[in-house]
Amino acid sequence: PAALAEATEGSRPPALPTTMLAMSAAAKRKLHNAVRMAGKAPTPGERRSMAKSLDLIAHLLAQQEVNKIDDMDAYSNAPHTPGFSSWIHDLSSPKTTQLVEKRVKDMMDDTNGPYSQSIRASIPKPYIKLLPALTAQAAQKATKSAFFQLKDEMVKAGAWDRGYLTSGDSLSGSPFEFGGKYKGDKEGLGKACESECKKHNACRGFTYNPKAGQCFLKAKSWPVRGAGCVKDCWYWGKVLGHPHEMSLGLKDAEDELGLQVHDLQVGKGEEIKKGDTATIGYIGSLDNGYVFDQGKYVFTFGAGQVIKGDDLGLQGMRVGGLRQLVMPSDLAYGSRGIPGLIPSNARLHFKVRLIKLSPTSINQGYKSSGTP
C-alpha cells in the first residue's frame, strides 16, 4: 500500500499536504550529493533554521512570479476554452510550474541580486556549498505553494463559476437523477445537486449535466481539466465547507467513498491514532487474486505516507488486529495505476495486520521487509 504512494492521484486538502511539499527524488539526490561533497551534514536544527530562512524568500519570489503570469493572462487576448474557466489550471501546467521554479532559483542564486546578502547570511559557512541544492528545494516548495494558494483563492472568491471536474472521486450513489425531475432544467438541477451535496459529509462539490438530468457528487472541490465530462456538463464552483476526504471518519469513508472494511480479527492492543508511527504487515492483490505487493511497512498514520485507502481504512484498528480492506481506485492509484503492476482504475484488496505502534512520527514511510 505504500510503495509508490506518491503516485496516488493527488488529494488536496485545505492546507498544503505533505506530499505536495516533499522534495522530488532528484532534489533529494542533489542535496545528498552536496552534503557528501561538503563532507559534513547539518544537524536537524541547523537544517530547519536554514530552510526557514530560504523558504520565506522563495515564497515571496514565487508569489511575485505567479502574480506576474496571472496579470499577463488577464490582459491577454489568448483564447480560453469556451464555457470552461480552466485558465488557472493552464497557467499551473508542468511547463509553467517549471519555468517559475527556475526563475525563483535563479534569483536566489544570483550573487548580485537583492536577496543575496540575506540568503548567504542564513547559511553557516561550513554548509555554503549546499546552497544550490537548498535553493532548489526551497524554489520547488514555494512554487507549488504559490500556485496552490492562487487556486484556493479563486475558489473562495467564487471565480469558479463553470467548468467541470475530472472523472473519478465521485461519491457512492452517483449519478443522482432525482427521478428525472430536473431533466433539461439547469437551474433546478443545480439547486438539487447542491442540496444533495450538503447531506453528505464527503461531498465538497459536484458536476451536473442538465441535458441528462444527472448529478455527480465529488470528494474534491476545485475544477480541473479532464476528459471525464461530456458536453453540457457544468460545475458548481462553490466550496461547501465539508471536511476534506482525509478528515472523514471510517463510517463516512465506507458509506460515501466506497471503501470496504472487514475486521477478520479484532486486536487487543493500543488503538492507532493520527501521528503514530505504525508497523503493518500487508498483502495487496487485484480483483483476480493476483498479489502485486506484500511485506511490512513503517509509516506515520494520517500523514499521507501511504495511499488514501490505508489512512482512512486503518482508523479504529488495534495492535494485533487483522483487517481486510477493499479500496476503489480513487483511494488507491487511480487512473495512473502503476505500469506493469497495477492497471489503471483498479480496485485493490489489502489484508493488513497492525503489528506495533510508536508515538514518534517519521518524515517518510519505508518498506522494512518483503514478508508480511
Side-chain angles (χ1 to χ4, degrees):
L4 300 177
E6 291 182 0
T8 309
E9 286 192 309
S11 71
R12 295 178 186 170
L16 202 61
T18 304
T19 49
M20 286 280 287
L21 294 177
M23 285 187 290
S24 67
K28 288 181 181 178
R29 287 195 299 271
K30 188 172 184 178
L31 184 56
H32 175 76
N33 291 336
V35 168
R36 183 167 51 81
M37 292 179 66
K40 182 180 179 182
T43 66
E46 289 173 324
R47 181 171 291 193
R48 283 193 297 270
S49 178
M50 291 188 293
K52 185 177 180 180
S53 300
L54 294 178
D55 286 349
L56 287 172
I57 296 172
H59 183 73
L60 174 63
L61 294 174
Q63 288 288 350
Q64 290 176 350
E65 290 302 309
V66 168
N67 288 338
K68 285 180 188 176
I69 294 175
D70 182 11
D71 291 341
M72 288 173 60
D73 183 82
Y75 289 102
S76 76
N77 293 317
H80 296 137
T81 307
F84 177 39
S85 51
S86 66
W87 59 273
I88 184 58
H89 178 77
D90 291 334
L91 292 183
S92 60
S93 66
K95 181 178 179 180
T96 309
T97 300
Q98 290 169 11
L99 176 63
V100 171
E101 186 178 320
K102 182 178 184 303
R103 287 177 180 172
V104 171
K105 177 169 169 50
D106 287 347
M107 286 187 285
M108 294 183 76
D109 289 341
D110 184 0
T111 55
N112 297 315
Y115 299 102
S116 176
Q117 186 174 350
S118 297
I119 290 173
R120 291 183 173 272
S122 67
I123 308 296
K125 287 185 178 179
Y127 310 125
I128 202 69
K129 290 183 179 180
L130 303 181
L131 189 55
L134 292 171
T135 55
Q137 174 189 349
Q140 182 186 66
K141 290 165 58 179
T143 299
K144 290 179 179 179
S145 177
F147 276 117
F148 182 86
Q149 184 175 335
L150 180 57
K151 290 180 181 181
D152 193 46
E153 288 173 355
M154 292 300 298
V155 172
K156 289 178 180 176
W160 296 110
D161 59 345
R162 53 195 269 184
Y164 54 85
L165 294 171
T166 51
S167 57
D169 295 294
S170 294
L171 270 58
S172 297
S174 295
F176 293 81
E177 298 184 338
F178 310 105
K181 181 178 178 181
Y182 301 106
K183 214 168 188 180
D185 179 2
K186 185 173 83 69
E187 183 177 354
L189 181 60
K191 290 180 179 178
C193 284
E194 181 176 12
S195 177
E196 189 66 32
C197 186
K198 288 178 178 178
K199 298 176 185 176
H200 298 263
N201 286 336
C203 183
R204 305 185 76 225
F206 51 88
T207 296
Y208 62 103
N209 186 329
K211 185 175 288 187
Q214 293 181 330
C215 170
F216 290 82
L217 303 187
K218 298 286 186 175
K220 293 187 181 296
S221 61
W222 58 88
V224 292
R225 183 200 297 273
C229 191
V230 296
K231 184 179 179 182
D232 299 323
C233 271
W234 287 68
Y235 170 73
W236 184 274
K238 181 184 291 187
V239 177
L240 296 173
H242 288 178
H244 182 266
E245 61 184 336
M246 298 312 294
S247 298
L248 293 174
L250 188 60
K251 187 177 186 307
D252 282 333
E254 291 182 272
D255 293 346
E256 301 184 7
L257 300 181
L259 178 67
Q260 297 178 38
V261 180
H262 305 284
D263 279 313
L264 304 178
Q265 179 181 333
V266 177
K268 297 181 179 180
E270 182 183 357
E271 182 175 332
I272 193 170
K273 61 183 182 298
K274 188 174 182 179
D276 283 343
T277 291
T279 300
I280 60 171
Y282 67 93
I283 299 175
S285 60
L286 304 178
D287 278 340
N288 61 8
Y290 170 72
V291 174
F292 60 83
D293 191 19
Q294 62 181 321
K296 289 186 179 73
Y297 200 78
V298 183
F299 66 99
T300 297
F301 180 62
Q305 295 178 4
V306 287
I307 54 179
K308 292 187 286 186
D310 282 328
D311 271 339
L312 288 170
L314 298 183
Q315 293 181 88
M317 200 172 181
R318 292 181 176 276
V319 172
L322 180 64
R323 182 172 284 185
Q324 179 76 37
L325 301 176
V326 182
M327 305 175 190
S329 64
D330 291 332
L331 298 181
Y333 295 98
S335 60
R336 296 190 219 180
I338 299 179
L341 192 64
I342 297 176
S344 172
N345 298 314
R347 183 172 66 167
L348 302 185
H349 302 250
F350 285 102
K351 188 175 287 186
V352 182
R353 183 178 295 280
L354 182 54
I355 299 172
K356 68 178 181 179
L357 296 173
S358 168
T360 305
S361 61
I362 57 178
N363 293 327
Q364 185 174 345
Y366 61 92
K367 187 171 182 177
S368 61
S369 171
T371 56

